[in-house]
Amino acid sequence: MKSETETETNMMEPEHGVPAVCNSCGEHDNTVEVFVACHVCNCSICKACADLEIKEGQKLCLRCGAPYAENSVDDAELKESGNQSTMAAHPNNSQDVGHHSRRISNMSSVDIETNDESGHPIWKNRVESWKDKKNKKKKAATKAEILTEKDDQVPSEQQMGEEEKQSPEAPEALSSVIPIPPNQIKPYRVVVITRLIILALFFYYRITHPVDGAYGLWLTSIICEIWFALSWILDQFPKWSPINRVTYIDKLSARFEKEGEPSQLASVDVFVSTVDPMKEPPLITANTVLSILAMDYPVDKVCCYLSDDGASMLSFESLVETADFARKWVPFCKKFAIEPRTPEYYFAQKFDYLKDKVQPSFVKERRAIKRDYEEFRVRINALVAKAQKKPEEGWTMQDGRPWPGNDSNNHTGMIQVFLGHSGAHDVEGNELPRLVYVSREKRPVYRHHKKAGAENALIRVSAVLTNAPYILNLDCDHYVNNCKAVREAMCFLMDPQVGRDVCYVQFPNRFDGIDRSDRYANRNTVFFDINMKGLDGIQGPVYVGTGCVFNRQALYGYGPPSLPGLPTAPPPSRSWFGKRSSKEPSKDPSEVYRDAKQEELDAGIFNLKEIENYDQNERSLLISQMSLERTFGTSSVFIESTLTENGGVPESADPSTLIKEAIHVISCGYEQKTSWGREIGWIYGSVTEDILTGFKMHCRGWRSIYCMPLRPAFKGSVPLNLSDRLHQVLRWALGSVEIFLSRHCPLWYGYAAGRLKWLQRLAYINTVVYPFTSFPLVVYCTIPAICLLTGKFIVATDTMTNLGNLLYLGLTTSIILTNVIEMWWSGVSIQDWWRNEQFWVIGGVSSHLFAVFQGFLNLMGGIDTNFTVTAKAADDIEFGDLYIVKWTTLLIPPTTLIIINIVGIVAGFSDALNKGIGAWGPLFGKNFFAFWVISHLFPFMKGLMGRQNRTPTIVVLWSVLLASVFSLIWVKIDPFVNKVDSSTIAPTCIAIDCDITT
């Protein structure tokens, strides 16, 4: 009988056909000896890795940090001492190291010197430099010096004790949380709970009181109302703990920008994306770039990357002009501290621009820069006019060579660096932020994943060239409205008490150029001022695609440093007591291999920074070069940059080859057989890649922050006319449907790690199921017309009890109170709330409905449904785009609902006049229902008519056709004819003497 020690150190034989996986190096092979090194988390490790750990004196589990069993370690040390001389004498003997010869060659200085064929020179230099630093630290480091290392390299209790001795006061927080006052939040929660109770009683009453004469209408309305109730729960409870935040920029400057010393603020890479300069005017993109270059932030800490995914020569030439004009614009902005720092909107503002200006030269210089900007606009307009007609031979550059992007779907990668420390300075001789033009390579045989693919290309390019630890993501039409916006974000990201677990800081979207009444709810105030504040009190706001500052490490798929490793289940072949379970069915070898690969990915990549017992260098050595290449790609410079938490270009990188390396990482085939778009970077699989990317980060345990400065950080533009607005909502809804139908659906994804809070999960579920509300909403908006045309109703009004009346009154009151208190603590106006309610119905019966159909068509047959939009000329007046009417099939369902409800109202009044005064009571409830539908669709009616009632003929024809169908049904039913029972007519006929005698 074996002893306990022998049992613990017994090697596990790999199952037949299933590769064994080492959780340290990630290698797998049937010949590798793998044993369970830790019986706390069942972490398996191969003999070669165990020998290496024992050499370095490490006796703690790589995954959970628990100490190994002493007998196991001593036994392994005994075996190691017996084989040490053999291994030293034959460092390249494959029989001794097996499949791990490549890993040992990367980690052993002997192997690096003797085996030059394996590994990359940069990797060798990095490993050697790490070993040198490690040896120096072991010899010369004292206890005080060790405590000055990074916070995650020292046990927290020891570090806190030393900090208390060194400084009696901890550093001041750079931000603070301001909860909603109790006199507002407590009544709000009471009303929500009360509404939930009343809702349950209401459904009990509705279900137990069916309408005998209209059973189908009653059942249909019950189903719709239950769906609406579930949607309300998903939307309401994530708003349970809303909070506000305040930042202290002055404290940030005092801590990181000391007088006479270089700024210690973190660097930021800014990403701006554009595709088609005909749809995204170059002048708007130029203004966005200018506002970024003029931000109130150290110039050597900012780099702006413009992604031109259409490879347009117009975009490139416009950026050349923008870089030249920035030499004048940036010093003017910083000299006179103007806001906003985008010339188009600054000069268009109607305000007293002399207010608070005391420098006599301001007026003169403002006139001069305004004249320069007008000349700049003329040059941009000339470029746009020239680009309207493409030459047959394609565009040519100034040196006579053809433009590489003449075919936007088949061209090489292009990178051009403007400005910066090595480029042109401003007119006063000062350095400017770096500006980089990027157009990734495209080939017809590759999938490029639209915006998400472009953003991932920018991640890699920026990592090679600048590698800032934080990334600001902006759309080309979202300019910097608050020059201190990045400082606002740094108050969270650089705060040691808050920033360690923050994956991104999201700012609300604010817009210019919206009509005064905000007819189509473009501001989306309810979402940004109510829902996002509620999410900030849970695990953080969702990512909305722009106006967001990311932690680069979160985009690389790493987990937050302060959380423990992912929980892992025991091996499938063993029971809770360490014995093989006979009840558990055996898995298919392919399934076991797939599980092992996932475990390798989790242990090797995403938990890399969660091991508390290793310093930064030792963490990096845990994974082989091949394992990192399978995740990040084949660029050694980029891989090395991912292992630096504080950013900066790797020391081993050759500056003369960085551009060549940057071109390599934006090539078409770089992402092949890697984790890009699946586990790292912007996630592929949906047109709304923003929701998916943020969801994956929250599933890993990160939290996000919602920052709402008094002056909006960023402002953008929105579609003003009805058709464009509906198409925008269609794209958002289609992305949600795609996520719902994918493996990343919040209903079933992300439970294994247990890091996504359940209220946060409810919010994400709501973001993917809301388009399906379109079906019950369309039905519910049709029911009033059916009730008016048939004379029936969804409620038995003649048998209504006092309890029923009380429940209807209580539910209506609770709905009103909930919305009133929400507007109270959020500051949302009643007009914004009402516009949001109206467009929820308009979008629900049009865009959301089409999105669901298109999503299922894409899933089943790969059919891409396109909606053709043709524009009409707009009047040259303010908000002229508001009155543009475009034909689109999205206009048909709402128009049909309006017509049939109007027809129903007319029919209902006619019926009441025919039946007399007794029919007016039931008519009131039916008409109120129909007016509810029409009032919500009223902005749609105004947009459909345009300025001069110019409704597209095709819309009228389709709507009249559908309304006629319902009218024919009504004629068939014919409610105006009194139904007479034949049994009452028969006796009367018999009593009549019809005998006629002559």
Side-chain angles (χ1 to χ4, degrees):
M1 183 176 180
K2 293 183 179 181
S3 63
E4 183 179 355
T5 304
E6 293 174 346
T7 303
E8 290 179 353
T9 58
N10 183 33
M11 301 297 180
M12 293 176 55
E13 293 293 332
E15 295 185 23
H16 296 290
V18 181
V21 179
C22 173
N23 284 289
S24 176
C25 63
E27 302 293 352
H28 52 83
D29 197 296
N30 290 329
T31 62
V32 179
E33 296 178 310
V34 178
F35 66 94
V36 177
C38 175
H39 288 273
V40 176
C41 66
N42 293 292
C43 175
S44 58
I45 186 173
C46 65
K47 183 178 183 300
C49 293
D51 294 342
L52 183 62
E53 296 298 327
I54 293 170
K55 280 183 180 180
E56 297 181 354
Q58 303 294 341
K59 298 184 179 182
L60 299 177
C61 176
L62 300 176
R63 177 178 294 172
C64 65
Y68 293 140
E70 294 183 2
N71 294 336
S72 301
V73 176
D74 294 340
D75 189 29
E77 287 178 345
L78 184 60
K79 294 180 180 180
E80 170 65 23
S81 61
N83 298 332
Q84 186 174 5
S85 59
T86 305
M87 293 180 64
H90 305 281
N92 294 325
N93 191 343
S94 60
Q95 295 179 355
D96 291 39
V97 297
H99 192 69
H100 293 261
S101 58
R102 177 162 52 248
R103 179 182 183 275
I104 294 179
S105 69
N106 286 335
M107 292 191 176
S108 172
S109 59
V110 176
D111 291 335
I112 291 175
E113 293 173 1
T114 58
N115 187 4
D116 293 334
E117 296 180 358
S118 61
H120 193 279
I122 295 179
W123 282 87
K124 298 174 184 177
N125 295 336
R126 183 170 74 252
V127 172
E128 290 175 352
S129 63
W130 284 346
K131 285 190 171 290
D132 292 340
K133 292 179 182 178
K134 189 174 180 181
N135 294 332
K136 291 179 181 179
K137 188 165 60 175
K138 286 182 179 179
K139 294 179 180 179
T142 61
K143 183 177 181 180
E145 291 174 343
I146 294 176
L147 289 174
T148 59
E149 297 292 328
K150 295 181 180 179
D151 296 339
D152 58 350
Q153 295 177 355
V154 186
S156 57
E157 295 181 0
Q158 180 183 0
Q159 182 182 5
M160 291 174 61
E162 291 297 326
E163 286 180 351
E164 290 178 357
K165 294 179 182 179
Q166 293 179 1
S167 58
E169 296 182 1
E172 291 184 280
L174 302 178
S175 64
S176 61
V177 176
I178 302 179
I180 304 298
N183 64 333
Q184 295 177 349
I185 194 63
K186 288 183 178 179
Y188 177 65
R189 292 172 177 172
V190 170
V191 170
V192 170
I193 296 299
T194 304
R195 179 176 172 181
L196 188 63
I197 296 173
I198 294 175
L199 198 60
L201 296 175
F202 169 79
F203 281 119
Y204 175 78
Y205 178 84
R206 288 277 280 133
I207 294 172
T208 56
H209 290 77
V211 181
D212 295 332
Y215 189 82
L217 285 175
W218 168 82
L219 182 61
T220 303
S221 64
I222 286 289
I223 295 173
C224 294
E225 290 164 1
I226 290 175
W227 181 271
F228 294 151
L230 294 176
S231 299
W232 170 75
I233 291 173
L234 292 176
D235 179 70
Q236 183 64 60
F237 280 92
K239 298 181 286 188
W240 186 257
S241 302
I243 60 173
N244 294 308
R245 295 182 184 270
V246 175
T247 57
Y248 308 111
I249 298 180
D250 53 343
K251 295 180 181 179
L252 178 77
S253 300
R255 183 180 301 181
F256 296 103
E257 293 182 302
K258 297 180 180 179
E259 187 176 357
E261 299 180 5
S263 174
Q264 299 300 316
L265 290 174
S267 300
V268 179
D269 290 335
V270 187
F271 294 173
V272 181
S273 300
T274 184
V275 180
D276 187 354
M278 295 295 110
K279 295 180 179 179
E280 298 166 335
L283 188 62
I284 293 179
T285 304
N287 274 271
T288 299
V289 172
L290 289 170
S291 67
I292 294 170
L293 299 178
M295 288 191 305
D296 182 11
Y297 209 74
V299 294
D300 59 326
K301 305 288 186 178
V302 178
C303 182
C304 177
Y305 292 85
L306 177 69
S307 171
D308 178 18
D309 219 31
S312 171
M313 188 172 177
L314 173 58
S315 297
F316 178 80
E317 292 182 336
S318 298
L319 195 64
V320 174
E321 294 287 347
T322 303
D324 184 61
F325 178 71
R327 299 177 59 246
K328 303 175 183 177
W329 175 251
V330 173
F332 171 78
C333 293
K334 295 187 175 182
K335 181 178 181 180
F336 299 106
I338 67 168
E339 291 279 14
R341 298 189 176 182
T342 173
E344 183 71 19
Y345 293 97
Y346 172 71
F347 292 122
Q349 289 184 120
K350 298 178 181 179
F351 71 109
D352 183 12
Y353 62 84
L354 296 177
K355 185 179 180 180
D356 300 329
K357 296 297 184 292
V358 296
Q359 295 170 282
S361 62
F362 172 70
V363 176
K364 181 179 179 180
E365 293 191 33
R366 186 181 186 275
R367 289 174 181 170
I369 196 68
K370 185 177 182 180
R371 183 176 61 252
D372 291 336
Y373 176 67
E374 290 173 349
E375 294 174 355
F376 168 73
R377 284 192 60 177
V378 171
R379 293 194 296 271
I380 296 294
N381 292 337
L383 292 175
V384 174
K386 178 183 176 182
Q388 295 298 322
K389 186 177 181 180
K390 183 178 180 180
E392 294 182 0
E393 65 277 8
W395 303 108
T396 57
M397 295 184 289
Q398 293 182 353
D399 57 2
R401 293 181 298 168
W403 172 248
N406 279 322
D407 186 350
S408 60
N409 294 317
N410 188 11
H411 63 87
T412 60
M414 295 177 282
I415 296 177
Q416 178 65 48
V417 181
F418 303 93
L419 308 178
H421 65 278
S422 60
H425 290 190
D426 64 23
V427 292
E428 297 180 358
N430 299 318
E431 182 181 342
L432 290 169
R434 185 180 297 184
L435 177 61
V436 183
Y437 171 87
V438 179
S439 181
R440 58 180 173 146
E441 182 187 15
K442 283 191 175 182
R443 301 299 178 190
V445 295
Y446 290 92
R447 294 185 62 188
H448 302 291
H449 303 288
K450 300 180 180 179
K451 180 182 176 181
E455 296 290 347
N456 285 339
L458 288 182
I459 292 178
R460 298 190 293 271
V461 169
S462 62
V464 171
L465 297 181
T466 52
N467 196 34
Y470 303 108
I471 295 171
L472 169 60
N473 158 236
L474 291 175
D475 286 343
C476 65
D477 60 342
H478 276 67
Y479 65 89
V480 181
N481 184 65
N482 184 345
C483 66
K484 298 183 183 296
V486 174
R487 292 178 180 267
E488 296 273 357
M490 291 303 150
C491 288
F492 302 105
L493 295 170
M494 297 189 69
D495 191 334
Q497 302 176 8
V498 179
R500 287 174 58 84
D501 294 339
V502 175
C503 54
Y504 60 82
V505 177
Q506 178 66 60
F507 292 87
N509 286 356
R510 304 301 188 201
F511 305 100
D512 282 320
I514 299 178
D515 58 298
R516 299 176 185 87
S517 62
D518 191 15
R519 180 185 294 178
Y520 306 126
N522 280 297
R523 292 192 180 93
N524 212 356
T525 311
V526 172
F527 173 76
F528 285 111
D529 290 12
I530 297 180
N531 295 69
M532 295 287 267
K533 286 183 179 180
L535 291 176
D536 199 18
I538 308 172
Q539 201 172 342
V542 298
Y543 169 44
V544 298
T546 184
C548 186
V549 181
F550 283 97
N551 183 338
R552 187 183 285 267
Q553 295 295 311
L555 286 170
Y556 289 155
Y558 295 118
S562 63
L563 290 183
L566 288 171
T568 57
S573 59
R574 293 181 176 271
S575 66
W576 288 103
F577 299 96
K579 299 179 180 180
R580 184 176 299 275
S581 174
S582 59
K583 297 182 180 180
E584 185 172 357
S586 60
K587 286 189 176 181
D588 183 79
S590 61
E591 185 179 355
V592 176
Y593 178 70
R594 185 171 61 251
D595 294 342
K597 290 294 293 180
Q598 183 62 41
E599 184 180 356
E600 172 195 358
L601 190 63
D602 292 340
I605 301 296
F606 301 130
N607 293 334
L608 183 63
K609 292 183 176 292
E610 298 173 358
I611 303 174
E612 298 295 339
N613 299 285
Y614 287 82
D615 60 20
Q616 177 66 25
N617 300 337
E618 290 168 336
R619 288 191 187 116
S620 303
L621 292 173
L622 288 176
I623 299 182
S624 65
Q625 177 181 353
M626 178 177 291
S627 179
L628 287 171
E629 287 179 351
R630 286 196 300 264
T631 303
F632 296 110
T634 57
S635 172
S636 57
V637 177
F638 173 74
I639 292 175
E640 187 174 0
S641 70
T642 64
L643 302 175
T644 57
E645 289 186 1
N646 298 323
V649 179
E651 296 179 359
S652 58
D654 184 1
S656 62
T657 62
L658 288 182
I659 293 295
K660 183 179 179 181
E661 193 72 20
I663 292 290
H664 169 56
V665 298
I666 61 173
S667 60
C668 289
Y670 186 84
E671 293 184 356
Q672 299 298 312
K673 298 182 180 180
T674 66
S675 295
W676 283 102
R678 293 186 293 110
E679 300 295 340
I680 62 176
W682 270 260
I683 306 301
Y684 304 150
S686 172
V687 294
T688 53
E689 70 288 331
D690 45 6
I691 296 294
L692 200 53
T693 301
F695 173 62
K696 295 276 285 188
M697 292 181 182
H698 284 139
C699 286
R700 296 188 189 112
W702 293 94
R703 72 152 295 127
S704 53
I705 297 291
Y706 195 51
C707 182
M708 292 184 64
L710 294 178
R711 180 179 179 86
F714 311 100
K715 280 190 175 182
S717 58
V718 292
L720 283 180
N721 67 79
L722 177 62
S723 300
D724 289 346
R725 173 68 166 138
L726 289 177
H727 274 273
Q728 182 188 56
V729 176
L730 170 64
R731 186 178 67 84
W732 295 342
L734 178 59
S736 296
V737 174
E738 289 175 340
I739 297 174
F740 178 82
L741 299 175
S742 71
R743 71 182 186 92
H744 292 113
C745 179
L747 285 169
W748 49 73
Y749 182 84
Y751 287 98
R755 295 179 174 182
L756 188 67
K757 297 183 179 180
W758 69 275
L759 282 179
Q760 192 80 13
R761 184 177 295 277
L762 285 183
Y764 275 111
I765 292 175
N766 187 43
T767 61
V768 300
V769 302
Y770 78 88
F772 296 94
T773 307
S774 58
F775 291 105
L777 187 59
V778 170
V779 173
Y780 212 67
C781 290
T782 309
I783 288 178
I786 296 176
C787 292
L788 288 166
L789 292 172
T790 60
K792 300 175 182 179
F793 199 45
I794 60 176
V795 178
T797 56
D798 53 343
T799 61
M800 180 74 71
T801 63
N802 292 333
L803 177 60
N805 291 326
L806 186 62
L807 288 174
Y808 274 100
L809 179 62
L811 183 61
T812 304
T813 304
S814 64
I815 292 174
I816 295 174
L817 287 177
T818 303
N819 292 310
V820 168
I821 299 178
E822 276 186 356
M823 290 186 283
W824 181 24
W825 61 253
S826 66
V828 175
S829 66
I830 189 170
Q831 178 181 342
D832 290 332
W833 172 83
W834 176 237
R835 286 287 183 259
N836 181 80
E837 292 294 310
Q838 288 179 315
F839 205 80
W840 175 74
V841 176
I842 295 172
V845 299
S846 58
S847 300
H848 300 172
L849 184 67
F850 280 81
V852 174
F853 282 114
Q854 185 174 349
F856 278 99
L857 287 175
N858 292 343
L859 176 68
M860 293 184 296
I863 302 173
D864 188 11
T865 306
N866 295 318
F867 302 96
T868 304
V869 180
T870 54
K872 294 185 178 179
D875 297 329
D876 188 16
I877 57 174
E878 186 180 11
F879 307 123
D881 289 345
L882 185 66
Y883 306 105
I884 294 178
V885 181
K886 302 178 180 180
W887 155 242
T888 170
T889 51
L890 298 176
L891 302 177
I892 295 177
T895 307
T896 304
L897 289 174
I898 292 173
I899 292 177
I900 64 173
N901 276 279
I902 292 176
V903 171
I905 291 174
V906 174
F909 274 106
S910 302
D911 188 27
L913 290 172
N914 184 50
K915 290 183 177 180
I917 194 171
W920 287 95
L923 178 64
F924 174 79
K926 300 173 186 177
N927 279 336
F928 177 80
F929 203 0
F931 276 116
W932 178 89
V933 176
I934 294 175
S935 63
H936 279 77
L937 296 176
F938 182 71
F940 176 85
M941 294 172 60
K942 292 183 65 177
L944 195 64
M945 296 302 172
R947 172 171 291 275
Q948 299 172 355
N949 298 334
R950 298 174 300 181
T951 305
T953 306
I954 189 66
V955 174
V956 177
L957 291 177
W958 272 101
S959 302
V960 170
L961 177 62
L962 294 177
S964 299
V965 172
F966 284 97
S967 300
L968 290 174
I969 296 173
W970 167 71
V971 171
K972 180 66 176 176
I973 298 170
D974 203 0
F976 291 164
V977 177
N978 293 326
K979 306 299 181 182
V980 182
D981 191 358
S982 59
S983 63
T984 61
I985 299 176
T988 306
C989 294
I990 295 173
I992 297 176
D993 186 5
C994 297
D995 185 19
I996 300 176
T997 59
T998 56

